[in-house]
Every structure is written in structure tokens, then in C-alpha cells.
Amino acid sequence: MTSLTRRYDGSHRVVVTGMGAVSGFGVGTERLWAGVASGGSAIGPVVRTFEGMSVTVPAAIAPYQPLDHFTSSELQICEPFVQLGRMAAREALGQAGLAGDADALAGAGVILGCGGGGELTREETAIQLFHRRRPRAHPLTVPRTNHQAVVSHIAAEHGIQGPSFVISTGCASGSHAIAQAVATVRHGYAERALAGGVEYNAIYAVMRAFDAARTVARDTCRPFSAGRGGFAFGEGAGVLVIETMEAARRRGAAIHAEVAGIGLSTDVADPVQPTVAGPVRALETALADAAVAPADIAYVNAHGTGTQLNDVVETHVVKLVFGDHARRLMMSSTKSQIGHCFGAAGALELITTILGMAAGVVPPTANYVAPDPDCDLDYVIEGARRQPFATAVSESFAFGGLNAALVVRRDR
Amino acid sequence: MTANGVPSPAEITQTIYDCVTRVKLDLDPSRLSPEIGFRELGLSSIEAITVIFEIEETFDIILVDAGLDDFKNIAHGTQIICSLLARREAAAG
């Protein structure tokens, strides 16, 4: 039985002891980092078809063979978003040295972000009911599509019996989930948790939906660059093992970073257009929570969708929060490399930030072609930059004006 | 297939077997026989429901809404499907 040490002031320090990732660069954090450090991009044209109709969008698709990781029986009930989450969780637990540690995992939690849940089965169900006009949906439709399937399958696989749930706040889901997991561990409601996000939605109907909102780029994602035209789709999962510093030290675990601050805010303005005030509030809250001065932040992993509006607003936000220091800090968009992984984005971007901190290399912004006068900060456009940094912040903003910022620092 | 285009009872039984193994992938097919029931095969409730769904889809018939989905065993299922298909054939003239 995991011992619980409640701290009503939330004074447990929370550290990352394991990470797992599946992204357009492949299965595993090693492949993610190799891709990020190469400066390249996993984004390419992806075609989805339905009875003679087709849609093509730029996307970074996670290359994996489901049967290499799951039995046929598991695949019957596990949608790809669940598969991706399970794969990332396995890697994270293995890296943390917790795989098979029943005692350490019994009281742990699984808190993941996910935007769409089982979009694939939902699309198949719509075809079955409305197109084929059949009277019955597949009996596994509900357990396959439920967002919470991902956390329950991970919990069942590893014997994790503490608090498990999914947070669904679109593009900010992963960051919100990590923030919630950090709060849970800080206060001692669980000593450790798997936190992160998953998404699989590069399918016909979802591509059509985002395309109709005119948010998707024609060719690729070019954040902060002149000529940018929106985001590219991405799919994947990012999962971090977080635990109290005390617990990590007790068991002699390697500590990758401390999640030092969380900041959450709401725009209360427009369903789709971001404000400046909302993200500023999230960032300032996160910095205050971490008790770090703006000048201590060396790197910002931007939300960086590559839409006209986001990148200008985000640049403005950073200038407001960081003042003169905005010209000195480095800011880049991992979405230029692995696409917009929606519910997984915040988690994969935080993992990228932590991997960069560990390597002493700043993740780049890929696909940049020319300056935009309204985006005039250092976006690390020349490729991954060899430069150690010790404190960073990762930002996520969702439709509906829901914002999250996470401050991480190298373990001291 | 019989002369009028309706599958024979043996073909229907085989199709039910196929539906069961499609849903219960780890089942040893040698355990399948007309006398055996879904429960004896170790099908969970959701698996049994899914087998019925697969049968409905394969034969394009309605079992659940007609209250005909409670098969005592596979032979019983074959019987129900046979009569549904024969009735449909007769109605089509």
C-alpha cells in the first residue's frame, strides 16, 4: 500500500522520473528527440478517402504496427488513441524504473488529456447508421469511443488503482492534465501519477471539420514565419511519470526535471479567437507558482500553431510577460515538426522541452521561410541550437479560450 | 446454397462459427459444435452481444428487435436464421 502524505499547502515538490512518447517521428522518446534535434519535420501530405471523395491535409502520422504492441483481442476494444497512450505509458514507466512495481503503482493515478476520444469508431458508427442505414451500432462503440478508455486500460495494465480520469480541453488537454496531476501529487492525494495526453484524429471527418474552420495549412506548418497558413495535423501520445521529490529520492530514481509551476486561465472572450490577456494570466500565474522571475526563463516552448492570429498574439503575450527579456529568450514551436497533436500536444511539447534541457539543445522551429514583422522574437529558426538552459515554460491555448502554462527546471 | 438462393443450414452454422471466432479471437475453433452455447464457450456478455451483431450484419437480418437473439445453442441459432431467411425469400416472391 502506498503511503499517503497529505500536504494541504501543496508543498510537495513534483519531479519527472520517466517519459514516454509516440509521435510522427516514431515510437519512443529517443526517436522523438532524434527528430527534433535533426531540425526536420515529420509532416507530409496525408490523404483520407471515403467512397470516391478524398481530403488531403499536412499531417505527422505516428508510424507503428499495432500487432507489434498488442494482441488481436486487445485491438478489438482499444482504439488507436488508447493504443498510443498505452505505448507511451509503458515507456514512461520503464524509464522511471516502475514497470511491474505493484507497491509503488497501487496508489498512483493516471491523468491524461484527450480532445476527441474514439474518433475512428465514431466515424465508422456514423457510416453504419446514416450511410448504410443499419439499425444497430457495433456493440463495442461505447467502450471504444469513451475518452476514459485510455486511462482505464493503462491503469488495468499496470495495476494503478488511485485517481484516474481524462481532461478534455481540446488543444490544451495535455497541459491541463499535467497541471491537474501536479496539483494532485503536490497535495499528496497520490504520491505519483502518469500524466500527459493522447490523440488520434487524422481521419476523414475530423480533417474536414478543421479544414472547414480554415485553420489547417495547405502545405506544412510554418510557425512565426511569413507565409504561414495554419497548423498541420499530428497524432501521438506523451506520458510523464511525476512523483514527489521525496518519493523519487527515496527510491533512488533519476530525476529529469522538476515541474515547478502551473498556471491556468480562461479568456472569457471568443469561442475561437485567442485574447492576449488570457494567456498572459496563465503565464504569470505559472511563473509566480514556480517563484521564478521572468528573466530566469531561457526558453519558451510556444503553443505555436502556425495560424496567422495565434503566432502574433503569442508573440505579443511573451513581450508583455517578459518585457525586455522577451528579446533575449528563445521560443520555438514543436508543432512545426510533429504537427498539432491536439490533446497530446502539451505533453509531447513538455517532454521535448525536458529532453532539450537534458541535452543542452534548444528545440527549433522548422519550416520557417521569411520574417513576419509582427513576429520578431528569436524563434530558433536555424535548427536545433546547442545551448544549455535550466528553466523553461511550455504553453498551450485551446479553442474556447482555455490556457495553460507549465514551468519546468532542471533538477537542482 | 440451396436452389432458391437461401444458404443451407450447414452454411448458416458455419457462418455463426465464423462470427464467433471473429469476436473471440483466442477461441479454439475445434470447440465449436451445434450443441454448444455461447456461455459454455466462455463468451462474456459483451462478446455474445457482438456475435449477434456480426450475425445480423452478415445475413442482413434483425434478431434483437424481434426478440430472437437468445440462442440456446448454435443449432437453435441456425434454426432461427433459417426460418428468417426463408420467410424473407417467400416475401420477396
Side-chain angles (χ1 to χ4, degrees):
Chain A
M1 186 77 191
T2 305
S3 63
L4 270 185
T5 314
R6 292 272 159 76
R7 287 205 190 154
Y8 296 102
D9 63 352
S11 60
H12 279 300
R13 290 174 69 181
V14 177
V15 296
V16 177
T17 55
M19 296 183 284
V22 185
S23 69
F25 286 127
V27 179
T29 47
E30 263 184 45
R31 290 205 171 110
L32 171 65
W33 180 247
V36 167
S38 77
S41 174
I43 299 166
V46 170
V47 184
R48 295 287 182 258
T49 58
F50 179 70
E51 295 202 349
M53 301 180 291
S54 83
V55 56
T56 306
V57 302
I61 300 300
Y64 76 101
Q65 296 300 323
L67 279 167
D68 291 348
H69 304 271
F70 302 98
T71 66
S72 304
S73 300
E74 287 176 312
L75 293 175
Q76 281 189 317
I77 195 153
C78 291
E79 265 244 6
F81 80 103
V82 174
Q83 297 165 31
L84 294 167
R86 290 179 68 176
M87 290 156 69
R90 285 172 189 168
E91 184 190 8
L93 285 169
Q95 207 181 84
L98 288 169
D101 189 339
D103 288 342
L105 293 179
V110 188
I111 302 173
L112 298 181
C114 180
E119 294 283 23
L120 186 63
T121 298
R122 238 176 257 134
E123 186 179 72
E124 286 165 356
T125 304
I127 293 167
Q128 163 86 351
L129 298 179
F130 304 123
H131 179 66
R132 299 185 57 219
R133 301 178 66 84
R134 296 293 301 158
R136 211 174 315 288
H138 192 285
L140 294 179
T141 302
V142 175
R144 271 186 195 156
T145 56
N146 276 339
H147 284 59
Q148 74 269 27
V150 64
V151 294
S152 64
H153 280 286
I154 291 171
E157 180 174 344
H158 301 286
I160 297 171
Q161 299 162 53
S164 293
F165 51 92
V166 166
I167 289 179
S168 189
T169 48
C171 310
S173 303
S175 294
H176 273 133
I178 293 166
Q180 178 57 52
V182 167
T184 301
V185 174
R186 272 183 178 177
H187 287 82
Y189 286 92
E191 196 168 52
R192 58 181 60 84
L194 291 177
V198 301
E199 201 72 70
Y200 176 91
N201 63 5
I203 64 171
Y204 187 89
V206 181
M207 285 178 166
R208 284 284 186 211
F210 277 99
D211 191 46
R214 312 238 175 133
T215 50
V216 184
R218 293 294 109 201
D219 57 349
T220 192
C221 175
R222 306 182 186 283
F224 308 110
S225 170
R228 65 184 177 276
F231 66 76
F233 269 66
E235 64 184 34
V239 174
L240 302 93
V241 175
I242 60 165
E243 53 191 314
T244 63
M245 186 175 275
E246 215 174 292
R249 287 188 173 155
R250 192 168 61 233
R251 64 187 192 86
I255 293 173
H256 301 283
E258 176 179 8
V259 186
I262 57 177
L264 313 175
S265 74
T266 309
D267 284 358
V268 293
D270 188 272
V272 291
Q273 293 206 7
T275 66
V276 169
V280 164
R281 178 186 287 270
L283 266 175
E284 288 181 343
T285 305
L287 296 177
D289 190 44
V292 301
D296 291 336
I297 299 289
Y299 169 64
V300 176
N301 189 296
H303 185 54
T305 53
T307 64
Q308 273 302 329
L309 192 59
N310 175 86
D311 296 0
V312 173
V313 166
E314 200 166 2
T315 297
H316 193 41
V317 164
V318 167
K319 287 177 180 173
L320 279 176
V321 172
F322 293 94
D324 289 345
H325 180 62
R327 305 246 163 238
R328 289 188 291 275
L329 59 73
M330 301 165 286
M331 169 153 139
S332 65
S333 167
T334 305
K335 290 182 178 75
S336 63
Q337 300 188 282
I338 59 170
H340 190 340
C341 298
F342 303 101
L348 283 166
E349 291 162 17
L350 189 70
I351 288 170
T352 299
T353 302
I354 293 171
L355 291 170
M357 252 182 347
V361 173
V362 182
T365 298
N367 305 322
Y368 190 92
V369 285
D372 169 354
D374 292 325
C375 298
D376 55 353
L377 298 176
D378 175 2
Y379 302 111
V380 196
I381 58 171
E382 77 284 7
R385 185 181 300 167
R386 180 155 292 284
Q387 185 172 324
F389 61 102
T391 312
V393 60
S394 179
E395 314 178 333
S396 300
F397 315 138
F399 270 2
L402 310 179
N403 314 299
L406 304 166
V407 174
V408 285
R409 63 180 161 223
R410 270 206 313 253
D411 180 41
R412 291 183 300 200
Chain B
M1 197 75 80
T2 56
N4 60 6
V6 176
S8 69
E11 286 170 324
I12 290 171
T13 302
Q14 184 56 49
T15 305
I16 297 176
Y17 291 170
D18 294 344
C19 290
V20 172
T21 51
R22 199 150 63 230
V23 173
K24 186 86 176 161
L25 296 164
D26 53 359
L27 182 80
D28 174 3
S30 70
R31 291 188 58 211
L32 289 162
S33 72
E35 295 74 35
I36 203 158
F38 290 166
R39 197 162 294 176
E40 294 160 78
L41 287 168
L43 266 63
S44 66
S45 60
I46 191 78
E47 286 168 339
I49 292 167
T50 306
V51 170
I52 295 294
F53 169 82
E54 294 285 349
I55 292 169
E56 285 185 317
E57 292 298 298
T58 306
F59 292 108
D60 193 13
I61 54 175
I62 298 293
L63 294 170
V64 180
D65 296 351
L68 298 172
D69 56 320
D70 192 14
F71 297 175
K72 288 194 250 323
N73 54 26
I74 288 177
H76 182 217
T78 301
Q79 214 177 2
I80 290 171
I81 295 163
C82 263
S83 66
L84 280 176
L85 294 180
R87 209 180 305 161
R88 183 170 68 193
E89 187 68 14

